[in-house]
Amino acid sequence: MRVEIWMDVVCPWAYIGKRRVERAVADLDVPVEIVWRPYRIDPFAPVPAEPLADALGDPVADDALRACAPGLTPAENRLRVDRIAAKEGLGPRWGAGWRANSHDAHRLIALAEPAGVQDAVVESLLRAHFIDAVDISDRDVLAGVVGDVFPEGPALLAGDAGEERVRELLLEGRARGIRTSPTIVVGDRALAGAQPPAVIAEFLADGGERRPVPAEVERYRWTESLLEQRDPLGALVLLRPLLAEHGRDRSVRLLAARAWYASAQLGRARAALEELVAEHPADAFAQVLLGRTLQRMSRGEEAGPHLRLSSAMRQSA
């Protein structure tokens, strides 16, 4: 069974959730592969990090903390998390010391996957942040944290290794509706939050391995999801491999045109749509989108025929 866990290493519930998943998995009769995926609870955390005590007065940080526990103040939530962490055996000391940007940590986690040491890297990072209370946004600190389990990892951070992978995974998570750290995903099912081990075990026992879907179909669906969420630039990032491999596919070209239009890249949208309507003049959607693109380019006279044609096709349908 393949289990994806979407989480942020600066989220205390991620560490609590990891312990609970480990207990739940131990009671299963099937082998489980756990894969760690990135989620950012505080994407605006500074580099270099700032002491958490100072950050707690920052309205942005306060909003991020309140989002983790609706209905509780950050102070109330910290006390609750402290008690739960102690019950899970996390300690003896517990508590982050820094408001740290987790971007490089997520790069290490992504790079550790093909090396087969992802879980060890995640454990090292969580322990460093919440028990050792060190600044995991500092690359020298990261080298010491993961050096024993992933010795080649720190050197990779000097370049751009893992940058594109993490960016794509964050967009994929958003497209798939990941909204909480941690979120456990099996197949098409998701379990949000650090649930008790019994709840996690029941969720995993229900299976949920999805039928194989071609990778390009999944990517197409994620791109559509980001467009629906009004993130056309993110959609174009996910669409890039499809354009490279299936750039002549009509659906891919139309999806790209939608993203270019939505991101105000009107010249590119116009070029793609003019080609599409020349090849498929009965495509009412391409006609209307071309008309609207030309309107936004202040070319109303050229837009008119496409808008009238698309209207006529819709009325006769």
Side-chain angles (χ1 to χ4, degrees), residues 228-267:
E228 291 169 1
Q229 296 178 55
R230 299 185 179 181
D231 183 7
L233 294 177
L236 285 167
V237 171
L238 291 187
L239 191 58
R240 194 180 300 143
L242 291 183
L243 283 171
E245 298 174 22
H246 307 282
R248 297 309 304 167
D249 181 89
R250 178 181 172 186
S251 297
V252 171
R253 291 156 66 196
L254 187 56
L255 190 59
R258 289 172 55 197
W260 285 323
Y261 173 82
S263 59
Q265 299 181 61
L266 302 179

Side-chain angles (χ1 to χ4, degrees), residues 13-85:
W13 290 109
Y15 207 176
I16 293 168
K18 186 175 189 295
R19 286 291 180 268
R20 292 177 171 181
V21 168
E22 289 165 350
R23 289 163 57 191
V25 167
D27 295 332
L28 293 181
D29 295 329
V30 296
V32 175
E33 175 195 10
I34 294 179
V35 180
W36 296 92
R37 297 291 184 236
Y39 182 83
R40 301 289 299 278
I41 62 170
D42 188 10
F44 301 109
V47 177
E50 61 181 331
L52 188 58
D54 296 343
L56 292 177
D58 184 333
V60 175
D62 189 68
D63 288 344
L65 291 168
R66 287 182 184 278
C68 291
L72 297 177
T73 68
E76 290 170 338
N77 186 48
R78 287 196 301 277
L79 289 174
R80 180 172 67 113
V81 172
D82 290 350
R83 291 193 295 268
I84 295 172

